[in-house]
Amino acid sequence: MTRSEQIVLHWFRRDLRLTDNTALHFACEQSTQVIPVYILSTWSGEHRFTGPMRQDFLCGCLKSLNANLAAKGSRLVLREGDPAAALISLARETGAKAIYYNRDPDPHGRLVEKRLASEIATNGLRSFAFDDVTVHTPSEVLTVAGQPYRIFTPYSRAWRLVPKKSLLPPPRISELDSRNFPGGKLPNGLPLPDLSRWALSKEGSIIEPGERAARRRMNAFLSEPILRYAQLRDLASEEATSRLSQDLRFGLISPRELHTKAVALLENPGLDASEIRSIQTFLTELIWREFYFALLWHYPEVLEVEFNPKFRRIPWVTNNEALARWKEGTTGFPFVDAGMRQLLATGFMHNRLRMITAMFLTKDLHLDWREGEMFFMQKLVDGEIASNNGGWQWSAGTGADAAPYFRIQNPWSQSSRFDPEGRFIKRWVPELRDVPFASLHQPPWNGPLARGYPMPIVDHAAERQKCLDMFASR
Ligand SMILES: Cc1cc2nc3c(=O)[nH]c(=O)nc-3n(C[C@H](O)[C@H](O)[C@H](O)COP(=O)(O)OP(=O)(O)OC[C@H]3O[C@@H](n4cnc5c(N)ncnc54)[C@H](O)[C@@H]3O)c2cc1C
């Protein structure tokens, strides 16, 4: 491609940042005027894969992106509806000759790209697509026989060996500046959205959106907490993890940059063994993210069925009352309820609690993991189809490299290990504030733990056995 006198569109999707953004970088390199565009979706009401808190975060990210573009003399042009139709119409209006974008590897993203590719050709336009959502694409990490990995450990070994790309320089500013655009003004678009656009109302108090906030979180985590990550990451009340999942989900930071910076820390000769182990553990978590992207890419059917065919006919139970109590955090299991209430209040749940609540739904209540998967997608700000499906199938014992079905976490002993003083529980389940912490980690024998707090919905030991029988009979 050669740089020529031409106008192009950069289609922002799940890459809502200016720094180290592959498609945006090349759009600026190879044109004289870049028009930044985002296409809003037109669904309204309930959606299988999203909900108010994630859309709220998206609105904040678009606002922040618009402000960052304004600082470069530009602004975000917002359109809506079918992306292919909206982009082609904007290209016609502006005389743009090409559309630049980063690929979205989710099944819906792939479908949209396919349609765009076929319509673009018939409209005399060109498109340039780049890989940017992960450090490595699913097809870069394959077995020697060219097959996808189905197990994490060999995948992660192979992933580490693939050469890494270097970071991109900051985008050129003049190509974004709309004063260069004919008439000096970008075309009109829709106003920045709020939740009413999707007929949604505000829920919960979410983390600060936008590239600047995400970079602040990243730099803060890399400056010190990463060195204690391995020791503290499972302790629910410590808040010792990076809190970068929504930033990776919306592309507010680049996974390449996060990975590169974390690897660079290993070069510090003053690190002790535990600090090195912490950085390595964090890097492994980033690889889990990539592994789940690869699984969904190669096996998109996991969104509908169990990854392991052996477990496709488990007789999951239907019990609306139990499901409702799990969702609202009133199961009578303090650690489970604390996790669910953290989710409802903030759109985030600590990783340890995601595993415990998911195992509780499937192995204690025997409800279908798809119910929990959908609820998480509707509530999580970081809701990522690939990681969420992977996490649910892992917890249910049906997935690739899953926790074997007979490894069933006991919610009582999990809280005594990972929230020994009950600080996390007391924060999210205020009814239990005055209960001595030792009582929080065992089933109450003589009535409820506190006024207004229910008795456990099931007996863990009995349900564990039922679950073992359910799986063993397959
Ligand atoms: C049932 C279940 C559902 C989940 N749903 C999601 C989801 O929708 N979106 C999501 O981003 N993560 C999901 N996870 C993975 C994990 O819980 C979150 O990524 C993590 O809690 C986010 O917090 P953090 O950014 O502080 O993570 P950190 O511990 O700081 O990890 C750093 C980054 O690594 C990635 N990561 C960490 N753990 C995992 C993992 N197990 N699988 C995949 N990527 C991981 C995330 O991008 C995370 O931001 C799920 C896990 C389970 C068990």
Side-chain angles (χ1 to χ4, degrees), residues 189-206:
L190 296 163
L192 286 163
D194 60 24
L195 287 178
S196 62
R197 158 148 222 107
W198 299 281
L200 299 170
S201 333
K202 198 163 174 67
E203 274 181 15
S205 160
I206 59 167

Side-chain angles (χ1 to χ4, degrees), residues 352-402:
R352 174 62 39 188
L353 274 303
R354 294 191 204 203
M355 293 192 277
I356 291 168
T357 55
M359 279 212 188
F360 187 79
L361 184 89
T362 50
K363 302 197 166 157
D364 286 74
L365 302 180
H366 318 300
L367 302 179
D368 195 325
W369 58 270
R370 280 160 282 241
E371 291 283 1
E373 182 202 27
M374 179 165 76
F375 188 68
F376 269 29
M377 282 309 292
Q378 291 170 340
K379 297 291 171 197
L380 283 170
V381 171
D382 67 23
E384 177 73 82
I385 295 176
S387 299
N388 191 50
N389 181 273
W392 270 95
Q393 294 234 26
W394 185 93
S395 306
T398 60
D401 208 16

Side-chain angles (χ1 to χ4, degrees), residues 229 241-245 248 282 285-286 288-289 292 348-349 351 354-355 358 376 380 382-384 387-388 391-392 395:
Y229 179 76
T241 63
S242 71
R243 288 297 264 111
L244 292 172
S245 47
L248 290 163
F282 180 72
E285 295 310 313
L286 297 183
W288 270 105
R289 175 177 179 271
Y292 285 139
F348 180 80
M349 196 195 292
N351 180 58
R354 294 191 204 203
M355 293 192 277
F376 269 29
L380 283 170
D382 67 23
E384 177 73 82
S387 299
N388 191 50
W392 270 95
S395 306

Side-chain angles (χ1 to χ4, degrees), residues 229-436:
Y229 179 76
Q231 297 96 299
L232 300 181
R233 63 191 281 258
D234 276 319
L235 297 177
S237 62
E238 288 294 330
E239 298 184 2
T241 63
S242 71
R243 288 297 264 111
L244 292 172
S245 47
Q246 66 291 322
D247 305 331
L248 290 163
R249 165 67 187 81
F250 284 93
L252 303 177
I253 51 173
S254 111
R256 272 182 312 278
E257 183 179 0
L258 179 59
H259 176 261
T260 306
K261 289 188 164 166
V263 169
L265 293 177
L266 289 168
E267 277 156 29
N268 177 350
L271 296 178
D272 65 29
S274 117
E275 291 168 336
I276 292 172
R277 188 167 67 88
S278 270
I279 298 171
Q280 295 290 12
T281 307
F282 180 72
L283 290 169
T284 304
E285 295 310 313
L286 297 183
I287 306 176
W288 270 105
R289 175 177 179 271
E290 308 243 334
F291 177 59
Y292 285 139
F293 268 109
L295 279 189
L296 183 58
W297 177 271
H298 293 295
Y299 308 101
E301 68 274 14
V302 293
L303 290 184
E304 310 304 330
V305 294
E306 285 75 5
F307 180 82
N308 185 340
K310 199 170 151 204
F311 298 130
R312 286 197 184 150
R313 294 174 67 193
I314 296 268
W316 301 108
V317 167
T318 304
N319 181 338
N320 291 338
E321 199 215 318
L323 180 61
R325 286 184 60 180
W326 177 83
K327 286 182 178 176
E328 66 193 23
T330 56
T331 65
F333 283 75
F335 212 26
V336 172
D337 292 344
M340 295 307 291
R341 295 197 203 177
Q342 181 188 31
L343 175 65
L344 295 175
T346 65
F348 180 80
M349 196 195 292
H350 187 279
N351 180 58
R352 174 62 39 188
L353 274 303
R354 294 191 204 203
M355 293 192 277
I356 291 168
T357 55
M359 279 212 188
F360 187 79
L361 184 89
T362 50
K363 302 197 166 157
D364 286 74
L365 302 180
H366 318 300
L367 302 179
D368 195 325
W369 58 270
R370 280 160 282 241
E371 291 283 1
E373 182 202 27
M374 179 165 76
F375 188 68
F376 269 29
M377 282 309 292
Q378 291 170 340
K379 297 291 171 197
L380 283 170
V381 171
D382 67 23
E384 177 73 82
I385 295 176
S387 299
N388 191 50
N389 181 273
W392 270 95
Q393 294 234 26
W394 185 93
S395 306
T398 60
D401 208 16
Y405 73 82
F406 48 81
R407 199 187 297 149
I408 298 175
Q409 287 170 345
N410 177 332
W412 301 111
S413 50
Q414 286 285 309
S415 63
S416 88
R417 272 183 74 191
F418 298 115
D419 189 27
E421 292 166 19
R423 282 197 285 138
F424 183 81
I425 292 174
K426 290 182 182 210
R427 172 161 183 211
W428 295 109
V429 190
E431 303 96 289
L432 300 176
R433 215 172 11 222
D434 299 324
V435 176

Side-chain angles (χ1 to χ4, degrees), residues 125-266:
L125 292 165
R126 299 182 73 192
S127 68
F128 298 98
F130 300 84
D131 298 311
D132 189 73
V133 166
T134 47
V135 176
H136 293 305
T137 63
S139 48
E140 279 180 284
V141 189
L142 297 171
T143 66
V144 276
Q147 295 301 310
Y149 285 97
R150 296 171 68 93
I151 308 274
F152 177 72
T153 306
Y155 170 88
S156 70
R157 234 179 268 131
W159 188 98
R160 285 175 209 268
L161 293 177
V162 181
K164 308 289 177 278
K165 292 191 192 108
S166 39
L167 301 184
L168 299 162
R172 300 153 82 114
I173 294 183
S174 58
E175 285 70 21
L176 280 167
D177 193 332
S178 55
R179 280 170 299 188
N180 303 329
F181 189 66
K185 197 169 164 292
L186 292 182
N188 287 334
L190 296 163
L192 286 163
D194 60 24
L195 287 178
S196 62
R197 158 148 222 107
W198 299 281
L200 299 170
S201 333
K202 198 163 174 67
E203 274 181 15
S205 160
I206 59 167
I207 199 164
E208 187 182 349
E211 181 173 359
R212 194 165 303 163
R215 295 191 70 75
R216 216 183 303 124
R217 283 189 281 272
M218 175 171 70
N219 292 333
F221 180 71
L222 295 176
S223 71
E224 217 277 317
I226 190 173
L227 303 179
R228 285 174 289 121
Y229 179 76
Q231 297 96 299
L232 300 181
R233 63 191 281 258
D234 276 319
L235 297 177
S237 62
E238 288 294 330
E239 298 184 2
T241 63
S242 71
R243 288 297 264 111
L244 292 172
S245 47
Q246 66 291 322
D247 305 331
L248 290 163
R249 165 67 187 81
F250 284 93
L252 303 177
I253 51 173
S254 111
R256 272 182 312 278
E257 183 179 0
L258 179 59
H259 176 261
T260 306
K261 289 188 164 166
V263 169
L265 293 177
L266 289 168

